[in-house]
Amino acid sequence: MQFSREFSDKQIVTTLSTQLSWSHFIELLPVKSDGARLYYARDAAEQNLGVRDLRKAIARKAYERKEIANSHLSELSAVPFNVFKDPYLLDILGLRENFLEADLEKAVLTGLEAFILEFGHGITFVARQKRMIIDGEDIVLDLLLYHRVLKRLVAVELKIGKFKAEYKGQMELYLKWLDKFERQPDEEAPIGIILCATASREKIELLEMDKAGIAVAEYWTHLPAKDIFEAKVTELLIEAQERLERRKLMPVGKPTKQIEFFIEDTDSKEF
């Protein structure tokens, strides 16, 4: 009875039943949101996930973190929807307290397979410390990945602190270089992601990072207890929904000038 209520669309059930076992559906039934339930079902089918991997995806709030990342993107975004997450859970890397950026990069490379699985499906590794020479100066990108489904290079920068506005210009330079020297004729324009310990969400929104093809996300190196984790993700999701509502209320088009001009009386001695 519960199955018939939660999966009422016969066409969807017909498709999923050929790819998922009854054990998969048992894991999906407790998921409260219709959107989340369908997301996990389709993801499990497309990625051929076992029951254990499906259970892990649900526990780690993959759907909710995708929705939080999507909330950072506008209608004019150059970053595709449903590609990134926020935050990323890098507890799999075993980092200790007070680590440096070099430690973070080393941990990512050591646990590269786990990192890529957390990062997303269809991602392949291209290079680390990608060297770019601009005006005779060596500039280095932390990680260069490739998204096979989107057919795009993905530039990744790892930051141990809070997001800073200057990171936008840095990533834009990387993307322009990659677009000019590395992009193949059949590929889409490269996109970038900046992973920070703390994301300054208002600053990111004001900078309109997504229009430049750049996503910004937090990463957590330690997964909190289940109840704390769920509460934090719920809080971020509510903030994301409020952000979307505010965006809908923003005026569309060019702002109207309040003052066209003023005349200064140079002959008057009064102030």
Side-chain angles (χ1 to χ4, degrees):
M1 289 175 64
Q2 186 180 357
F3 175 81
S4 65
R5 288 196 304 269
E6 307 297 356
F7 291 92
S8 56
D9 191 316
K10 292 183 179 179
Q11 186 175 356
I12 292 176
V13 172
T14 301
T15 302
L16 292 176
S17 61
T18 62
Q19 300 167 295
L20 302 177
S21 68
W22 178 245
S23 297
H24 284 93
F25 286 109
I26 292 297
E27 295 295 331
L28 291 166
L29 289 178
V31 178
K32 296 179 180 179
S33 165
D34 293 339
R37 193 183 312 109
L38 188 57
Y39 167 83
Y40 289 123
R42 285 176 170 165
D43 192 54
E46 291 172 4
Q47 307 305 328
N48 196 27
L49 299 181
V51 175
R52 182 178 179 182
D53 289 331
L54 172 60
R55 187 183 303 126
K56 183 178 179 181
I58 295 172
R60 292 170 74 87
K61 303 289 183 181
Y63 170 79
E64 288 81 358
R65 292 186 289 131
K66 174 186 67 68
E67 289 295 289
I68 293 169
N70 282 344
S71 74
H72 303 323
L73 308 180
S74 65
E75 292 181 359
L76 300 177
S77 175
V79 178
F81 283 77
N82 302 322
V83 172
F84 297 119
K85 303 186 187 79
D86 187 17
Y88 281 90
L89 306 180
L90 304 187
D91 55 309
I92 48 179
L93 302 181
L95 284 162
R96 298 183 179 181
E97 297 293 334
N98 302 318
F99 58 87
L100 304 175
E101 282 185 9
D103 300 324
L104 175 58
E105 183 185 339
K106 183 178 179 181
V108 167
L109 292 172
T110 301
L112 187 60
E113 183 179 357
F115 174 79
I116 286 178
L117 286 174
E118 167 64 11
F119 202 81
H121 301 292
I123 293 284
T124 59
F125 174 76
V126 177
R128 65 173 291 265
Q129 293 291 294
K130 176 64 179 178
R131 186 184 178 208
M132 308 172 187
I133 301 178
I134 303 175
D135 288 336
E137 180 185 355
D138 273 356
I139 298 178
V140 177
L141 169 68
D142 288 339
L143 286 171
L144 183 60
L145 307 175
Y146 182 74
H147 201 295
R148 296 174 60 193
V149 178
L150 298 177
K151 293 187 177 180
R152 293 173 183 257
L153 288 168
V154 181
V156 181
E157 272 291 285
L158 306 168
K159 305 295 185 182
I160 61 170
K162 193 173 184 179
F163 172 81
K164 297 179 181 178
E166 54 261 37
Y167 294 162
K168 180 183 180 182
Q170 182 185 35
M171 180 58 79
E172 284 180 323
L173 183 64
Y174 294 154
L175 295 180
K176 289 184 184 297
W177 190 93
L178 291 169
D179 188 67
K180 183 175 181 178
F181 296 106
E182 293 288 334
R183 179 182 176 185
Q184 298 300 307
D186 62 336
E187 293 178 354
E188 299 292 333
I191 54 178
I193 180 166
I194 302 171
L195 297 181
C196 301
T198 306
S200 304
R201 302 186 187 280
E202 185 176 4
K203 193 180 295 182
I204 292 165
E205 187 172 9
L206 289 171
L207 288 170
E208 298 183 322
M209 304 285 288
D210 61 315
K211 293 182 182 179
I214 304 168
V216 181
E218 289 186 359
Y219 61 83
W220 298 352
T221 57
H222 295 88
L223 192 63
K226 181 180 178 181
D227 55 341
I228 298 175
F229 171 64
E230 291 182 349
K232 181 62 177 176
V233 171
T234 301
E235 179 185 341
L236 290 173
L237 193 56
I238 291 172
E239 289 178 1
Q241 291 166 344
E242 291 175 349
R243 189 180 305 113
L244 288 174
E245 290 301 317
R246 287 198 302 271
R247 191 178 296 159
K248 292 178 183 177
L249 297 175
M250 292 177 65
V252 179
K254 295 182 180 180
T256 303
K257 291 182 179 179
Q258 298 298 317
I259 301 177
E260 292 294 339
F261 60 88
F262 68 92
I263 298 175
E264 182 181 2
D265 185 359
T266 56
D267 294 330
S268 176
K269 294 182 181 181
E270 296 182 3
F271 296 93

